[in-house]
Amino acid sequence: MTDDPAARVPDDAGALTERVRQAIDGLGCSRREVARRIVMDPSKLSRSLSGSRRFTVAEIVRIAGITGVDAGRLLGPAQRPAPPPAAAPVAVPEGGRPLQIVRETVRLIAEHGFHGVRVADIAAACGTSTAAVHYHFPGRDELLEAAVRWCMDEDTARRAAGLAAAADARAELLHLIALQTPRTDQQRRQWLVWLDLWAQAARSTAIGRLHEHYYRQWRTTVADVLRRGIAQGVFRDLDPEFTALRLTALIDGLATQVLATAPDSTGPDTMHDALLAFVASEVTAD
């Protein structure tokens, strides 16, 4: 068997798929959560478990990492992958090596841009080798997609926590606006990754689909909040979908100005004030 981590693993009899299925089911969580943990598209995981798509070596290794089942046992005696070479043993951080690689990739993309980041830079930040990075993520596209998905998951979790604690739809909308205003280092990093995503989406079909999925989810969240506000009487009778489109476009434009202009020009406070003015004039009931 090839040592290429991107290679598809043969599974004509379905034995490997069954072993992987049993290992995943033993975790006691949803398959969507498993996909999130191994930084894999949920639809790819579903197709692989149904037998319509073959797992790659790298995917098997990541599944082994979260399930605690030896990768060689999952692959079978004849398909044991060679371990990636490393200069010296390095302790794997909490959350596992793939998550560390993704987090460091997000940080480096935010600092240097996707095309300014080398795999060697990511390996150095993780205290490991380039071969180890490629073992989990065969190419730069896989790294970008994983970084964006991680940012999406983090953003969605923060949104959900704030919406659950809000007193009414107006408080929910203000929470969403605060989350999207790049004040903290983490917020700025995520916005800088989004900017790289937009540039890549214009050139890559796969990244374009990811971009479309995220923005559909984001606008739907805003539209749902607007609908609740209309029902509660805190928002005027408006078109939720069109207003969500206008508001998210305004957020995107203002955030880009905050990140791309001098510190004494458009800043987070100016952006936040402009968004609150939009809500007061266009959304809030008289």
Side-chain angles (χ1 to χ4, degrees), residues 156 159 163 172 176 215-226 228 244:
T156 300
R159 278 189 226 154
L163 295 183
E172 292 180 20
L176 294 179
Y215 266 84
R216 186 186 304 114
Q217 180 189 69
W218 165 227
R219 289 196 194 103
T220 297
T221 297
V222 176
D224 287 345
V225 170
L226 294 172
R228 285 195 290 275

Side-chain angles (χ1 to χ4, degrees), residues 46-74:
S46 178
R47 294 200 307 274
S48 298
L49 290 173
S50 70
S52 61
R53 175 187 179 274
R54 292 180 178 178
F55 285 103
T56 66
V57 173
E59 289 164 354
I60 293 296
V61 170
R62 297 204 294 272
I63 290 169
I66 68 164
T67 61
V69 178
D70 183 77
R73 180 180 173 188
L74 290 176

Side-chain angles (χ1 to χ4, degrees), residues 36 44 52 64-65 68 74 106 132 139 155 176 181 198 200 203 208 211 245 264 272 283:
R36 188 191 72 79
K44 288 184 179 179
S52 61
L74 290 176
V106 169
D155 192 38
L176 294 179
T181 304
W198 293 343
Q200 291 296 314
R203 300 175 177 87
H211 174 273
L245 174 64
D264 59 349
H272 193 254
V283 179

Side-chain angles (χ1 to χ4, degrees), residues 119-132:
V119 173
D121 300 325
I122 298 167
C126 295
T128 188
S129 66
T130 56

